[in-house]
Amino acid sequence: MELVQTVATVAVIGLLVAVLLFAGHRVQLLRRGGTQIVARALPAGRGKGWRHGVMRYQEEDLVLFRVSSLRPGPDRRLQRCGIEVLGRRDADASEGDVVPTGTVVLHVTDGEQETELALTGGQLTAFLSWVESSPPGRARRVRRH
């Protein structure tokens, strides 16, 4: 009986260590910089599915990290060359508790997945500048080391 308790204790401690390592890794990902964002994957119900996180611009991708996720990498990745803005709207009353006042909600797609991003004025300008600075069909740069 003592052996079973020892094995169970070791298993529980191992599980806790694994969860702490994943959580620590996630915190490090979020602290590496980026823009605070509220986003949701579509389709979603009215006022539902919004998640707080961090958005980071990379050379060819926009990556989104949810604050509440333990996933080791980004939760969503949008390909820069395919991003298209499908619509723009103000946040409605049902989103007021999650989406900050005065933000613009962009409905975007990269051809594979649709996402809504709630962006403030400066965030909106930065996002649109990043998308427009790399028009579709652009030749890829070759990195030489």
Side-chain angles (χ1 to χ4, degrees):
M1 192 55 116
E2 213 173 281
L3 178 63
V4 172
Q5 288 177 337
T6 303
V7 169
T9 302
V10 168
V12 168
I13 290 172
L15 183 63
L16 288 173
V17 167
V19 168
L20 288 174
L21 287 173
F22 276 120
H25 176 70
R26 190 61 176 195
V27 168
Q28 287 299 333
L29 283 174
L30 295 173
R31 294 179 85 185
R32 284 188 196 149
T35 303
Q36 292 182 7
I37 185 95
V38 180
R40 71 177 178 172
L42 295 177
R46 181 180 162 108
K48 304 277 187 210
W50 289 104
R51 301 288 182 258
H52 291 273
V54 172
M55 161 174 91
R56 192 173 302 139
Y57 299 103
Q58 297 181 339
E59 189 170 329
E60 297 300 327
D61 299 318
L62 175 72
V63 292
L64 302 171
F65 297 91
R66 285 190 354 219
V67 169
S68 61
S69 174
L70 290 179
R71 190 175 185 162
D75 295 289
R76 202 150 184 90
R77 181 181 302 271
L78 299 172
Q79 305 262 328
R80 182 181 194 177
C81 63
I83 290 179
E84 181 180 348
V85 177
L86 301 176
R88 175 189 303 215
R89 65 177 176 81
D90 293 326
D92 62 34
S94 67
E95 299 164 330
D97 58 334
V98 178
V99 178
T101 305
T103 60
V104 173
V105 177
L106 283 186
H107 179 183
V108 300
T109 184
D110 70 347
E112 294 181 18
Q113 52 193 343
E114 293 185 25
T115 305
E116 280 191 325
L117 306 170
L119 305 169
T120 62
Q123 292 172 329
L124 177 63
T125 302
F127 174 79
L128 293 175
S129 296
W130 178 78
V131 170
E132 292 170 2
S133 68
S134 176
R138 174 183 83 118
R140 296 180 72 105
R141 276 190 303 211
V142 177
R143 289 183 186 229
R144 298 178 194 221
H145 299 280

